[in-house]
């Protein structure tokens, strides 16, 4: 399945990178061209997510789970790919559900930040995929200088996991609170 | 919702989310990899060590010169110290650096002439079979002793290095081939020649241990350069220094611990220079005797000698070993020929470590006046004149990676091994120094990684929930 995975990943990469440019452009501009591009955002993000999920699923079939989950590079590739999909799913969801309101006030910068993070993760995921098939880039060197050697599995200790769970609960709590505020107003 | 509430909510959500990301970044990789003596795990702080190598030969002999850094010279192996009326052994060995700082420094070199073709591709990984000693999962000593060939015939007490085809089942250390097959393999050259210089058990008498890796790591035929200095019945040493020659009957433990023992002094017991142990001598607490007696090796075991003196100075060992190109022992040694091409792999022990707590190299090619990673130059005199041209070999801590693992479904490169692709096609020392450690904590790391993956997804989605609710609803959306 490796050749199919390699072919398929081109689609989400292209779509999400294009979406990133659109989001950044729309963040910086309220002009008619930016708004025109923004109208293509939901289709772009939808196709990106769909092709991303397909590429991810096919990728999981390249090696048996026993194999990919035993390799540091394999684990990292799966982890960053999962997070990439989650990021872009959130970006799509909010844009789809909230329409042009996402470009109001602080929200547009949050949207730009999410897209940048999603794009960065996409790049790291692709880099790790390259490493898995023996094609190396300097992205891994940059990550090492930032504190992560990609030849070691990315994982956090239990204490951090607990904090992440608490943060997740608080974020959901903020969402519930905001929903009630909206309902009351 | 008021605009100010929305803004405050977004800032709070962003702070929480950003904090979670930063916390993950700064704490990643911690909390799991740590020394665990119960499982035989000790991770060195330094994962790589440089080794410098030179080689040269003349019509008769070949010379290898090795130079590597060591904070201090490990010139003792194990000793017995007089404490409270008893002789107590120190330097028995434990995971990582020995607790009393005992255990000799070593340099080892595996050599093949192409008869073990996988060796040139995978180096020492090839020799790490199932059940090998000092791995967390290792064969039971009693079972090894009961194994007809390894235990009963070869008197092995643990599973040592071996070559894969000496077993009928790669995953079963006890599935040793029939003796007739082992003999045929040996005749066909299916073994690795192992040069094994030891800081205490061979160097003081100007020799190197000479071994072979086949169905086990074995000594060459003949007599080794060291034997025990311990009488298990009386629980005391058998030999002590000869005061008439040395001026002392024992060393002092404090002097050893404070590194006051001169490399040029007599700190080792050598057959012929010692006297029988006298239990009635006026022994004092701290008197120390080496637990090994050095002797002149014989037969095929005496093939490799130290040229000059193997000495540590200014933070480096500098050791030159020499051997005949043709030792006349083709069942123990790889016979070297002018213009020949060979494969090598190196290892060093330092910082009072033993067993698998060493640094190893990937396979290196050797050419005798022909291209190779190391080119042995030919000279016409008795001894080589070394220049400044060294081959730099990066050694790394190998962790617990066995040949059965590399050929299993857990290793993505197993199909590549079957295709005969060398280890360097897909791996570098930079990778392998980490992979060896990850292999030692495979299950723990897999668990943390899996939880981290889902914790991350959860936090991203949770942020999505907050963000979704905090964005002003579009009229009609």
């Amino acid at each position: 399945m490796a050749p199919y995975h390699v072919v398929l990943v081109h689609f989400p990469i292209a779509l999400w990178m294009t979406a990133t440019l659109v989001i950044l452009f729309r963040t910086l501009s309220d002009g008619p061209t930016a708004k025109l591009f923004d109208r293509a955002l939901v289709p772009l993000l939808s196709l990106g997510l769909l092709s991303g999920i397909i590429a991810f699923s096919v990728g999981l079939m390249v090696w048996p789970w026993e194999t990919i989950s035993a390799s540091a590079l394999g684990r990292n590739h799966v982890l960053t790919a999962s997070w990439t999909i989650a990021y872009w799913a959130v970006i799509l969801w909010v844009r789809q559900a909230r329409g042009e309101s996402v470009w109001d006030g602080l929200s547009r910068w949050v949207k730009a930040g999410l897209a940048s993070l999603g794009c960065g993760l996409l790049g790291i995921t692709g880099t790790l995929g390259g490493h898995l098939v023996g094609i190396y880039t300097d992205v891994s060197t940059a990550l090492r200088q930032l504190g992560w050697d990609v030849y070691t599995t990315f994982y956090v200790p239990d204490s951090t996991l607990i904090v992440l769970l608490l943060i997740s609960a608080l974020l959901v709590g903020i969402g519930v609170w905001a929903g009630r505020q909206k309902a009351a107003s | 919702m008021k605009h100010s509430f929305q803004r405050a909510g977004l800032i709070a959500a962003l702070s929480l989310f950003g904090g979670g990301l930063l916390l993950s970044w700064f704490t990643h990789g911690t909390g799991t990899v740590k020394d665990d003596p119960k499982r035989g795990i000790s991770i060195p702080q330094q994962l790589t060590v440089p080794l410098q190598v030179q080689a040269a030969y003349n019509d008769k002999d070949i010379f290898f010169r090795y130079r590597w850094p060591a904070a201090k010279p490990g010139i003792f192996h194990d000793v017995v110290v007089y404490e409270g009326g008893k002789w107590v052994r120190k330097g028995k060995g434990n995971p990582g650096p020995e607790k009393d700082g005992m255990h000799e420094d070593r340099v080892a070199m595996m050599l093949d002439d192409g008869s073990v073709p996988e060796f040139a591709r995978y180096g020492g990984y090839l020799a790490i079979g199932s059940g090998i000693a000092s791995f967390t999962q290792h064969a039971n000593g009693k079972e090894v002793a009961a194994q007809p060939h390894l235990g009963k015939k070869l008197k092995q007490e643990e599973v040592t290095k071996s070559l894969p085809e000496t077993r009928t089942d790669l995953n079963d250390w006890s599935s040793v081939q029939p003796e007739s097959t082992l003999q045929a393999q040996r005749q066909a050259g299916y073994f690795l020649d192992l040069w094994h210089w030891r800081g205490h058990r061979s160097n003081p008498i100007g020799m190197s241990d000479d071994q072979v890796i086949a169905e086990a790591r074995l000594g060459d035929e003949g007599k080794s350069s060291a034997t025990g200095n311990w009488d298990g019945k009386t629980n005391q040493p058998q030999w002590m220094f000869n005061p008439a020659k040395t001026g002392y009957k024992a060393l002092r433990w404090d002097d050893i611990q404070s590194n006051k023992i001169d490399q040029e002094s007599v700190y080792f017991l050598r057959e012929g220079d010692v006297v029988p142990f006298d239990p009635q001598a006026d022994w004092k607490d701290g008197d120390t005797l080496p637990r090994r007696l050095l002797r002149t090796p014989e037969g095929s075991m005496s093939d490799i000698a130290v040229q000059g003196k193997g000495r540590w100075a200014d933070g480096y060992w500098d050791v030159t070993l020499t051997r005949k190109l043709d030792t006349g022992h083709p069942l123990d040694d790889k016979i070297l020929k002018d213009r020949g091409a060979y494969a090598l792999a190196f290892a060093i022990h330092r910082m009072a470590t033993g067993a698998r707590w060493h640094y190893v190299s990937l396979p290196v090619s050797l050419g005798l006046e022909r291209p190779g990673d190391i080119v042995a130059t030919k000279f016409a005199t008795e001894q080589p004149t070394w220049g400044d041209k060294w081959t730099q070999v990066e050694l790394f801590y190998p962790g617990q990676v066995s040949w059965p693992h590399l050929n299993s479904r857990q290793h993505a490169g197993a199909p590549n091994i079957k295709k005969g692709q060398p280890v360097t096609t897909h791996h570098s020392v930079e990778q392998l120094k980490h992979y060896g450690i990850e292999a030692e904590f495979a299950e723990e790391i897999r668990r943390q990684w899996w939880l981290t993956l889902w914790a991350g997804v959860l936090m991203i989605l949770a942020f999505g929930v907050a963000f979704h609710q905090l964005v002003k609803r579009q009229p009609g959306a």
Side-chain angles (χ1 to χ4, degrees):
Chain A
M1 299 303 279
Y4 299 105
H5 178 64
V6 172
V7 169
L8 288 169
V9 294
H10 286 80
F11 293 96
I13 289 172
L15 291 162
W16 281 334
M17 289 193 80
T18 307
T20 304
L21 291 174
V22 170
I23 290 169
L24 293 178
F25 184 34
R26 183 65 184 86
T27 301
L28 296 170
S29 170
D30 288 326
T33 311
K35 288 183 176 175
L36 191 66
F37 279 131
D38 180 46
R39 285 168 60 185
L41 193 55
V42 170
L44 264 179
L45 292 171
S46 301
L47 287 172
L49 185 62
L50 180 66
S51 59
I53 290 170
I54 292 170
F56 183 88
S57 305
V58 172
L60 287 178
M61 290 186 267
V62 172
W63 280 291
W65 181 249
E66 183 184 2
T67 306
I68 197 73
S69 68
S71 148
L73 277 175
R75 290 171 186 145
N76 292 336
H77 190 48
V78 173
L79 178 136
T80 55
S82 305
W83 289 359
T84 302
I85 287 175
Y87 264 104
W88 287 104
V90 164
I91 292 168
L92 169 63
W93 175 37
V94 177
R95 176 62 185 81
Q96 166 72 15
R98 294 298 184 236
E100 297 214 358
S101 299
V102 295
W103 307 118
D104 291 343
L106 186 59
S107 300
R108 66 167 59 199
W109 297 106
V110 176
K111 194 84 176 162
L114 278 177
S116 301
L117 270 174
C119 191
L121 265 175
L122 183 66
I124 294 169
T125 306
T127 293
L128 295 173
H131 276 253
L132 275 169
V133 294
I135 303 165
Y136 308 106
T137 72
D138 283 337
V139 173
S140 54
T141 308
L143 288 170
R144 186 180 301 124
Q145 286 168 348
L146 288 171
W148 177 37
D149 193 317
V150 298
Y151 300 132
T152 62
T153 303
F154 192 98
Y155 63 85
V156 297
D158 287 341
S159 53
T160 300
L161 287 172
I162 292 167
V163 174
L164 295 185
L165 287 176
L166 286 172
I167 287 174
S168 300
L170 286 170
L171 287 169
V172 171
I174 289 173
V176 171
W177 167 80
R180 287 180 181 163
Q181 291 289 319
K182 274 181 187 171
S185 63
Chain B
M1 184 166 52
K2 287 182 181 173
H3 183 70
S4 58
F5 280 129
Q6 183 205 24
R7 188 177 178 82
L10 266 178
I11 289 171
L14 279 174
S15 301
L16 285 168
F17 188 61
L21 291 180
L22 287 174
L23 180 68
S24 301
W25 187 261
F26 288 114
T27 60
H28 82 266
T30 61
T32 297
V33 174
K34 52 194 169 192
D35 289 354
D36 186 352
K38 286 181 184 170
R39 295 167 57 203
I41 291 174
S42 174
I43 310 294
Q45 289 189 339
Q46 191 178 331
L47 297 181
T48 59
V49 173
L51 172 72
Q52 295 174 295
V53 185
Q54 291 178 314
Y57 68 107
N58 57 22
D59 287 335
K60 281 188 318 182
D61 302 313
I62 188 158
F63 299 78
F64 286 94
R65 185 181 177 196
Y66 314 93
R67 188 169 182 271
W68 72 96
K72 60 179 185 177
I75 58 173
F76 287 95
H77 194 57
D78 49 354
V79 298
V80 285
V81 182
Y82 194 71
E83 287 179 357
K86 288 193 299 189
W87 290 94
V88 177
R89 181 181 182 183
K90 295 186 187 292
K92 189 179 178 184
N94 51 252
E98 204 278 331
K99 59 184 170 60
D100 291 309
M102 295 290 98
H103 249 55
E104 64 193 356
D105 285 350
R106 299 191 243 165
V107 61
M109 179 179 78
M110 290 183 279
L111 164 65
D112 183 52
D113 58 2
S115 304
V116 187
E118 301 90 347
F119 177 70
R121 300 198 285 268
Y122 310 111
Y125 283 119
L126 185 72
I128 311 302
S130 76
I132 194 162
S134 76
F135 268 41
T136 299
Q137 301 294 328
H138 59 269
N140 179 284
K142 287 180 182 171
E143 290 178 10
V144 178
Q147 208 281 340
H149 183 78
L150 297 179
K152 293 191 172 165
K153 183 174 181 191
L154 300 180
K155 306 297 179 196
Q156 300 275 300
E157 296 172 343
E158 58 187 20
V159 176
T160 55
K161 286 187 170 68
S162 63
L163 292 182
E165 287 177 32
T166 61
R167 303 296 196 270
T168 57
D169 179 355
L170 192 65
N171 297 300
D172 180 3
W173 63 268
S174 67
S175 65
V176 181
Q177 295 274 13
E179 285 204 30
S180 58
T181 304
L182 295 175
Q183 286 172 4
Q185 287 177 339
R186 189 70 79 93
Q187 294 281 351
Y190 189 68
F191 68 90
L192 299 175
D193 191 359
L194 177 59
W195 298 31
H196 198 163
W197 173 90
R198 299 171 182 275
H200 184 84
R201 286 180 286 179
S202 71
N203 187 52
I205 57 170
M207 298 301 295
S208 166
D209 204 352
D210 191 358
Q211 297 176 303
V212 60
I213 297 170
E215 69 268 34
R217 192 184 77 177
L218 306 166
D220 284 12
E221 290 297 319
K223 196 168 88 171
S224 69
S225 60
T227 186
N229 177 33
W230 185 250
D231 185 338
K233 291 177 185 168
T234 59
N235 282 328
Q236 58 190 28
Q238 295 170 298
W239 307 95
M240 62 184 204
F241 292 97
N242 182 352
K245 286 190 177 181
T246 59
Y248 45 85
K249 61 180 185 295
L251 304 170
R252 295 292 301 163
W253 179 239
D254 290 345
D255 291 341
I256 294 173
Q257 288 282 280
S258 54
N259 302 312
K260 286 183 182 169
I261 305 295
D262 188 336
Q263 290 176 88
E264 306 304 329
S265 68
V266 180
Y267 60 88
F268 52 92
L269 297 172
R270 179 175 189 161
E271 204 170 54
D273 293 339
V274 293
V275 294
F277 177 76
D278 178 8
Q280 305 306 320
D282 181 23
W283 297 107
K284 293 184 171 59
D285 277 2
D287 282 342
T288 301
L289 289 168
R291 202 170 171 275
R292 309 288 168 159
L293 177 70
L294 306 188
R295 58 192 184 181
T296 304
E298 294 174 0
S300 181
M301 268 196 173
S302 65
D303 287 331
I304 307 170
V306 176
Q307 187 213 13
K309 290 180 176 179
R311 288 291 181 267
W312 178 93
D314 301 325
Y316 284 85
W317 274 107
D318 193 339
V319 175
T320 300
L321 300 181
T322 181
R323 194 202 80 176
K324 285 187 171 61
L325 291 168
D326 183 352
T327 61
H329 303 117
L331 297 182
D332 289 341
D333 302 320
K334 297 290 178 174
I335 307 305
L336 304 176
K337 293 177 182 169
D338 186 22
R339 304 279 168 174
Y342 305 92
L344 306 171
F346 305 96
I348 64 158
H349 283 85
R350 61 176 200 169
M351 309 283 282
T353 56
R356 70 174 181 81
W357 292 279
H358 56 358
Y359 296 90
V360 305
S361 79
L362 290 174
V364 172
S365 62
L366 167 72
L368 271 61
E369 282 290 358
R370 63 186 286 186
D373 297 323
I374 299 171
V375 177
T377 52
K378 193 167 186 181
F379 61 95
T381 54
E382 283 294 306
Q383 294 184 353
T385 305
W386 300 112
D388 292 333
K389 191 177 175 186
W390 294 89
T391 299
Q392 310 289 335
V393 180
E394 193 171 18
L395 308 179
F396 61 99
Y397 171 68
Q400 298 189 47
V401 178
S402 71
W403 188 243
H405 167 79
L406 292 175
N407 284 275
S408 74
R409 277 167 60 92
Q410 291 193 346
H411 179 219
N416 298 329
I417 291 177
K418 286 190 174 61
K419 289 179 194 164
Q421 291 183 3
V423 57
T424 47
T425 306
H426 293 286
H427 295 307
S428 63
V429 166
E430 189 58 35
Q431 292 174 320
L432 296 173
K433 72 179 185 185
H434 293 301
Y435 290 174
I437 295 171
E438 294 236 342
E440 298 201 66
F441 299 91
E443 287 311 311
E444 295 91 333
I445 288 177
R446 194 199 311 262
R447 173 186 175 276
Q448 290 305 121
W449 159 74
W450 189 237
L451 293 173
T452 302
L453 186 157
W454 284 110
V457 168
L458 184 66
M459 192 171 75
I460 293 166
L461 296 180
F463 181 76
V465 169
F467 187 35
H468 174 259
Q469 292 295 341
L470 286 163
V471 174
K472 190 174 69 179
R473 188 171 306 185
Q474 187 186 26

